[in-house]
Amino acid sequence: MRCRKCSNRAVLGLPRHNTAYCGPCLTEFVRTQVQKAIKAQTMFSPEDRILVAVSGGKDSLTLWEILLKLGYNVDALYVDLGIPGYSERSHEKVERFAHDVAEACGSKLIIQTVEEDAGAGNGVKELANLIKRPTCSACGTIKRYQFNRVAYQNNYDVMATGHNLDDEAARLLGNVLNWQDEYLQKQSPTLPASVEGFSKKVKPLYRMTEREIAAYAVVNRIDYLVEECPNAKGAKMLVYKDVLNRLEAESPGTKHRFYWGFLDKQKKSAESTKHTMTDIDQSTLLPCETCSQPTTAGTCSFCRMMARAKTAAR
Ligand code: SF4
Ligand code: ZN
């Protein structure tokens, strides 16, 4: 297989684009796609300060690397969830990337640890058990909270995550299968900043598949953690991804058509009703009575969760 651009030996075939690329042409293709995403969805400008959430996996480290290569002003946040074994290994990958690549570009890494004062010294799983919630649900609350709080307190303009096309298409499939209207309304590569205290959230890798990002990471020697979080086992999202991968193998471009078709419909519907996500959020969000972070209730879900964990640990 030859690269369609320069005829060197190709490292990756992209059936959905009916093409193939060698290492350097793949690198150029991926960075161009990310730049297009940033522009098309008005994610941020070179003057903005960006905070990218990193987990040590391929997507988030690749996103950090690409934003640095494109010359953006980006730092990273790692939340240590205290997952035995996995957290140590992911923490190590993130630290190594910061040391070997990011620091030379003036980019810094911020580290947060799951609160120990809630009586959950052994991390997110113990905390979830204390309050009788699924681990991933408690974990999602913690990550969202820490990300937003760090972005707000350190005056970042935008928060970026490494969600890719596979993630977004799987999430869309789950939302459609369960007709979760509220989630469908909020599923977007760019969520605007809402009331003061809620930062703008963006997903600059939404045009790239998992496979394309993995190939980019290998070509560019990004040393990432290959293993999945042990708590992901049995997650519905993995089933949805598997189904979409099978459809993609039969009909290349399925994920792309599914997710981009949704974005087109969402845009048309927003234009016809002149209703934006900012309107919805601004009318419903207020500062949390305990921590001042934005919430729809008097006390935010993170503070309620921590209070329950403290009571249960007594
Ligand atoms: Fe957290 Fe679940 Fe993801 Fe593990 S799989 S990082 S516990 S949300
Ligand atoms: Zn709170």
Side-chain angles (χ1 to χ4, degrees):
M1 187 168 57
R2 294 272 141 199
C3 173
R4 289 284 172 91
K5 246 187 125 184
C6 70
S7 299
N8 281 333
R9 200 170 65 81
V11 293
L12 185 75
L14 289 93
R16 74 180 171 119
H17 293 297
N18 194 24
T19 192
Y21 290 126
C22 66
C25 291
L26 175 72
T27 297
E28 193 195 326
F29 168 76
V30 172
R31 289 184 191 163
T32 304
Q33 289 298 315
V34 172
Q35 193 64 282
K36 275 187 183 169
I38 293 167
K39 233 182 144 186
Q41 297 284 331
T42 41
M43 292 184 176
F44 43 76
S45 66
E47 293 76 44
D48 286 329
R49 291 184 68 229
I50 305 152
L51 183 66
V52 57
V54 289
S55 66
K58 66 179 181 321
D59 304 304
S60 57
L61 288 185
T62 293
L63 176 59
W64 193 4
E65 195 257 12
I66 293 176
L67 294 182
L68 287 173
K69 294 285 185 223
L70 292 174
Y72 286 103
N73 183 357
V74 55
D75 291 329
L77 169 71
Y78 172 77
V79 180
D80 190 327
L81 300 159
I83 299 165
Y86 175 78
S87 285
E88 284 91 46
R89 290 188 286 278
S90 60
H91 196 148
E92 196 196 316
K93 293 286 182 196
V94 168
E95 291 269 18
R96 191 173 304 160
F97 183 89
H99 179 264
D100 294 351
V101 182
E103 279 169 17
C105 307
S107 176
K108 69 173 179 195
L109 171 66
I110 302 169
I111 304 211
Q112 292 284 310
T113 306
V114 172
E115 312 267 326
E116 291 190 4
D117 65 356
N122 288 324
V124 67
K125 194 155 190 153
E126 186 181 331
L127 188 133
N129 287 343
L130 277 172
I131 56 171
K132 297 183 177 49
R133 253 175 76 178
T135 308
C136 291
S137 148
C139 181
T141 302
I142 291 168
K143 286 192 288 192
R144 273 192 302 277
Y145 179 84
Q146 297 286 14
F147 198 20
N148 196 64
R149 190 172 63 91
V150 171
Y152 180 60
Q153 287 179 350
N154 295 281
N155 297 317
Y156 285 97
D157 299 292
V158 175
M159 307 191 299
T161 55
H163 292 96
N164 56 45
L165 179 57
D166 292 55
D167 296 321
E168 292 307 292
R171 192 168 155 214
L172 177 60
L173 182 60
N175 286 340
V176 169
L177 288 174
N178 298 297
W179 289 121
Q180 287 173 305
D181 290 350
E182 193 196 336
Y183 292 150
L184 280 168
Q185 206 175 26
K186 287 186 178 168
Q187 185 172 356
S188 168
T190 298
L191 277 178
S194 35
V195 284
E196 209 186 326
F198 241 154
S199 301
K200 182 173 178 177
K201 287 191 193 120
V202 298
K203 299 171 182 171
L205 298 185
Y206 81 92
R207 296 171 75 102
M208 311 307 310
T209 65
E210 217 158 279
R211 202 171 143 262
E212 291 156 6
I213 293 166
Y216 176 96
V218 171
V219 165
N220 289 280
R221 296 195 169 86
I222 296 171
D223 181 17
Y224 64 88
L225 186 67
V226 176
E227 73 181 272
E228 294 271 354
C229 170
N231 299 321
K233 239 178 239 152
K236 275 269 165 54
M237 215 40 109
L238 296 181
V239 179
Y240 298 148
K241 281 188 178 180
D242 186 43
V243 168
L244 287 165
N245 280 336
R246 280 192 257 164
L247 290 168
E248 184 77 25
E250 291 294 325
S251 173
T254 299
K255 291 175 202 170
H256 181 126
R257 288 192 298 277
F258 182 47
Y259 185 56
W260 292 29
F262 163 73
L263 291 181
D264 275 352
K265 285 188 190 311
Q266 193 184 47
K267 195 171 164 209
K268 279 182 195 137
S269 142
E271 279 164 6
S272 68
T273 57
K274 296 206 176 350
H275 203 71
T276 67
M277 274 172 275
T278 322
D279 298 332
I280 300 157
D281 287 345
Q282 279 184 342
S283 62
T284 51
L285 290 170
L286 288 166
C288 165
E289 284 160 6
T290 308
C291 71
S292 306
Q293 289 296 297
T295 177
T296 46
T299 306
C300 76
S301 54
F302 178 83
C303 289
R304 273 183 283 139
M305 187 171 86
M306 285 308 182
R308 272 181 64 197
K310 265 185 206 167
T311 312
R314 268 184 213 136

